[in-house]
Amino acid sequence: MGLLQEKLAKYDLPQQFMAKGVYPYFREIEGKQGTEVEMGGHEVLMFGSNAYTGLTGDERVIEAGIKAMHKYGSGCAGSRFLNGTLDLHVQLEKELAAFVGKDEALCFSTGFTVNSGVIPALTDRNDYIICDDRDHASIVDGRRLSFSQQLKYKHNDMADLEKQLQKCNPDSVKLIIVDGVFSMEGDLANLPEIVRLKHKYNATIMVDEAHGLGVFGKQGRGVCDHFGLTHEVDLIMGTFSKSLASIGGFIAADSSIINWLRHNARTYIFSASNTPAATASALEALHIIQNEPERLEALWEATNYALKRFREAGFEIGATESPIIPLYVRDTEKTFMVTKLAFDEGVFINPVIPPACAPQDTLVRVALMATHTKEQIDRAVEKLVKAFKALDLL
């Protein structure tokens, strides 16, 4: 065994759980993702998907992708900067900008590359990037690629955010970056207070709406719209891989910022552009969300019902205010074990362990879709109660 393999073996936690038969990742799905999926030859209730609007299997979205494939082919064979810009990309950007209330938008090949490319392009050595300590990994990687001074504040702790702002040179750019909805805990950023501090310290705000679009605000416009603060947020990021039933992402801002990013964001300039099928599918999903308000109503009906059921059953679910419901376990091995027990009972959920959370905050993550029924939620709660009780967690 070489030195690299020896070093990696010391930290190979997955291998340990593989040996115990409770490794829960990379499980194979054998068909479309909906509220029930085919896995290992049998149906499993899907409560681990981020498809909040329930559109990943919608025939209109699928047909839009097929038509785009016929018209444009399977790919663009280049970056947006060179030969990879389609009129379809530009149309989606215009409609996304209008949807989230900004001048312009730029589409990227993934949501992750939005954050990892935009963040380091915005500030320089004399500036500051300030993040919530539970921001998504893509934000973490984006700030790591920046030469700017980097500060973190305790999760949703506005007094600590103000302390970090007080450390900054008042004449430098101070970029506050925050998830609108925190992807593991399901709680919301305290955007009204962040905006107040923005004005007090002349800061700039970027909000990651990955889990807010299609869920919060008028027509699902996001957390910024939910709080009525779109005009106060300088940059809005979103992804297509959740409510928009595709793959890709975007950043929206005023024209000057977008023009700068168009020529300076490395993951935009040096990545192949998003496929025609993915772009068209996201565009169709955006149209459906805007034209079918009942879909958003159904999502919240399912969410509120599930929140009520889990609280009544005695689960610890924290401060979630969204279709993301964390069921806290607070033990890594039991987190994997309860995931396996739930799967054996026909319920797919996601285990969350470090580095996605603190070691003392391990959990299993339940996520709701607009297409979930009360009967499916009842079945899931019943099976999860059984799994938790088997491990003395409830």
Side-chain angles (χ1 to χ4, degrees):
M1 184 182 288
L3 290 176
L4 175 60
Q5 290 88 337
E6 287 180 10
K7 179 178 180 179
L8 296 179
K10 294 178 183 178
Y11 305 102
D12 195 353
L13 185 65
Q15 189 61 45
Q16 298 173 30
F17 288 106
M18 286 177 186
K20 295 177 181 179
V22 294
Y23 183 72
Y25 301 116
F26 302 103
R27 294 171 283 179
E28 297 177 17
I29 297 172
E30 298 156 2
K32 293 178 186 176
Q33 285 209 37
T35 57
E36 297 189 21
V37 297
E38 187 81 11
M39 300 185 73
H42 63 278
E43 292 289 326
V44 178
L45 287 171
M46 172 52 73
F47 281 92
S49 172
N50 293 319
Y52 304 115
T53 53
L55 288 171
T56 52
D58 190 284
E59 289 301 323
R60 294 166 293 180
V61 175
I62 294 168
E63 186 60 29
I66 292 170
K67 287 182 178 178
M69 283 269 285
H70 282 303
K71 180 175 180 179
Y72 298 98
S74 59
C76 299
S79 71
R80 290 289 304 277
F81 198 64
L82 299 173
N83 64 299
T85 292
L86 304 176
D87 54 358
L88 193 61
H89 292 129
V90 175
Q91 180 186 354
L92 178 57
E93 288 171 340
K94 287 179 178 178
E95 294 196 27
L96 284 168
F99 184 64
V100 300
K102 292 299 174 186
D103 292 348
E104 294 187 49
L106 281 185
C107 288
F108 289 63
S109 299
T110 68
F112 199 103
T113 56
V114 177
N115 285 335
S116 61
V118 166
I119 293 168
L122 289 173
T123 56
D124 62 28
R125 294 179 188 275
N126 298 314
D127 299 323
Y128 301 85
I129 295 174
I130 309 165
C131 295
D132 187 292
D133 67 7
R134 294 189 188 171
D135 278 347
H136 189 264
S138 58
I139 296 174
V140 174
D141 281 10
R143 67 174 177 78
R144 283 174 174 170
L145 289 168
S146 172
F147 292 110
S148 300
Q149 299 176 69
Q150 299 173 25
L151 302 170
K152 289 192 295 183
Y153 62 93
K154 297 173 187 175
H155 178 53
N156 256 346
D157 186 330
M158 297 297 98
D160 195 33
L161 171 57
E162 183 158 21
K163 286 180 184 177
Q164 304 310 315
L165 287 164
Q166 289 170 346
K167 297 176 183 178
C168 301
N169 182 332
D171 296 324
S172 297
V173 173
K174 297 165 284 294
L175 177 62
I176 303 169
I177 309 172
V178 66
D179 287 356
V181 181
F182 290 90
S183 59
M184 297 298 110
E185 297 83 7
D187 54 339
L188 307 188
N190 187 348
L191 201 52
E193 184 63 11
I194 293 172
V195 166
R196 185 187 72 81
L197 292 172
K198 163 191 171 171
H199 289 294
K200 184 174 180 180
Y201 293 94
N202 192 23
T204 300
I205 301 175
M206 175 176 166
V207 174
D208 181 328
E209 288 275 24
H211 296 270
L213 285 177
V215 179
F216 287 91
K218 182 181 178 183
Q219 296 181 313
R221 295 172 193 269
V223 171
C224 299
D225 182 84
H226 167 75
F227 284 115
L229 294 170
T230 297
H231 62 292
E232 296 282 7
V233 174
D234 302 277
L235 298 101
I236 294 176
M237 175 270 177
T239 184
F240 306 157
S241 57
K242 298 172 177 63
S243 290
L244 294 182
S246 184
I247 184 72
F250 72 94
I251 190 74
D254 67 34
S255 297
S256 63
I257 292 175
I258 293 299
N259 191 54
W260 172 264
L261 292 172
R262 187 179 283 118
H263 296 90
N264 290 277
R266 293 171 67 84
T267 57
Y268 179 81
I269 296 171
F270 296 107
S271 289
S273 57
N274 211 353
T275 66
T279 306
S281 293
L283 183 60
E284 180 63 21
L286 180 62
H287 294 162
I288 293 170
I289 291 169
Q290 292 178 89
N291 293 323
E292 295 182 1
E294 63 272 16
R295 192 168 291 271
L296 186 59
E297 293 167 10
L299 172 61
W300 279 103
E301 184 177 348
T303 296
N304 290 327
Y305 182 72
L307 287 167
K308 178 174 178 288
R309 287 300 320 276
F310 281 117
R311 287 192 176 107
E312 288 174 348
F315 287 93
E316 181 190 354
I317 65 172
T320 181
E321 302 174 63
S322 71
I324 300 165
I325 304 177
L327 308 180
Y328 284 93
V329 179
R330 304 193 184 283
D331 179 281
T332 296
E333 185 163 352
K334 286 188 176 182
T335 298
F336 281 2
M337 291 171 67
V338 80
T339 302
K340 183 181 186 304
L341 290 174
F343 185 77
D344 290 345
E345 291 287 335
V347 180
F348 186 109
I349 50 175
N350 289 315
V352 181
I353 64 167
C357 66
Q360 69 274 16
D361 292 333
T362 68
L363 57 95
V364 291
R365 180 183 184 273
V366 174
L368 279 299
M369 292 183 270
T371 42
H372 276 124
T373 67
K374 288 184 178 180
E375 186 272 334
Q376 289 173 327
I377 294 167
D378 286 338
R379 270 197 285 155
V381 173
E382 176 191 342
K383 300 301 184 183
L384 287 167
V385 166
K386 182 179 178 180
F388 269 65
K389 284 186 174 179
L391 296 172
D392 296 321
L393 294 170
L394 199 62

